[in-house]
């Protein structure tokens, strides 16, 4: 019985370490907003296939650039005009020769990424909560 209790405690401890709960205050710091993709370019300089995106987040945030590994599910033409959800308050990140200014969000299944998007058109810049 002691072994089972020990294993249960160990599993509970490991779960806490690997799932790191955020407080509500922490979550509120993450600024996720809706934007419309304006331009999509190939990004041949990177190891994994990706696109360079220009996304309009409205007047408050403006236009931001991002790199996204979404080439397996999306072609360039279908992405232009699509609304997506992105984190806009992370620090800029250098990716090869490109400076990414936001993180486009998607559901990841191996190398396939399905973009998170509103199910109806909304104003660019609306905050996700």
């Amino acid at each position: 019985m002691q072994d089972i209790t020990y294993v249960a405690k160990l599993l509970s401890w490991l779960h806490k370490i690997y799932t790191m709960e955020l407080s509500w205050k922490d979550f509120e710091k993450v600024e996720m907003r809706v934007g419309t993709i304006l331009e999509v370019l190939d990004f041949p300089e990177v190891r994994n296939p990706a696109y360079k995106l220009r996304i309009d987040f409205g007047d408050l945030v403006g236009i931001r650039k991002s790199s996204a590994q979404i080439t397996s599910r999306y072609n360039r033409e279908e992405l232009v005009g699509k609304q997506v959800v992105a984190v806009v308050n992370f620090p800029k990140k250098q990716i090869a020769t490109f400076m990414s200014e936001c993180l486009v969000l998607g559901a990841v299944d191996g190398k396939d990424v399905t973009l998170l998007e509103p199910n109806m058109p909304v104003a660019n810049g609306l905050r996700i909560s």
Side-chain angles (χ1 to χ4, degrees), residues 14-125:
L14 288 171
H15 178 73
K16 286 178 185 176
I17 288 175
Y18 290 107
T19 58
M20 289 183 29
E21 287 185 5
L22 295 176
S23 69
W24 186 255
K25 194 171 187 166
D26 290 334
F27 174 72
E28 288 177 325
K29 294 176 187 176
V30 180
E31 193 173 328
M32 294 177 283
R33 294 194 179 264
V34 175
T36 300
I37 298 173
L38 301 175
E39 181 181 44
V40 181
L41 301 172
D42 289 326
F43 196 2
E45 300 90 348
V46 291
R47 278 187 299 246
N48 296 319
Y51 293 130
K52 296 179 190 178
L53 308 175
R54 279 187 55 242
I55 306 167
D56 181 2
F57 291 100
D59 293 336
L60 183 64
V61 176
I63 295 172
R64 299 278 177 97
K65 299 181 296 183
S66 186
S67 170
Q69 296 177 0
I70 54 175
T71 59
S72 66
R73 284 204 192 253
Y74 302 94
N75 63 52
R76 290 175 36 199
E77 295 75 25
E78 72 182 301
L79 288 169
V80 174
K82 181 182 283 293
Q83 287 195 303
V84 294
V85 176
V87 176
V88 298
N89 66 334
F90 281 155
K92 294 178 182 179
K93 183 174 181 178
Q94 184 79 40
I95 301 171
T97 60
F98 184 76
M99 186 64 73
S100 186
E101 301 170 328
C102 63
L103 176 66
V104 176
L105 300 178
V108 180
D109 182 12
K111 292 193 182 250
D112 289 333
V113 178
T114 302
L115 293 171
L116 295 186
E117 56 185 293
N119 66 355
M120 61 181 55
V122 298
N124 287 336

Side-chain angles (χ1 to χ4, degrees), residues 4-19:
I4 293 172
T5 304
Y6 173 76
V7 170
K9 286 181 180 179
L10 179 61
L11 289 174
S12 175
W13 178 76
L14 288 171
H15 178 73
K16 286 178 185 176
I17 288 175
Y18 290 107
T19 58

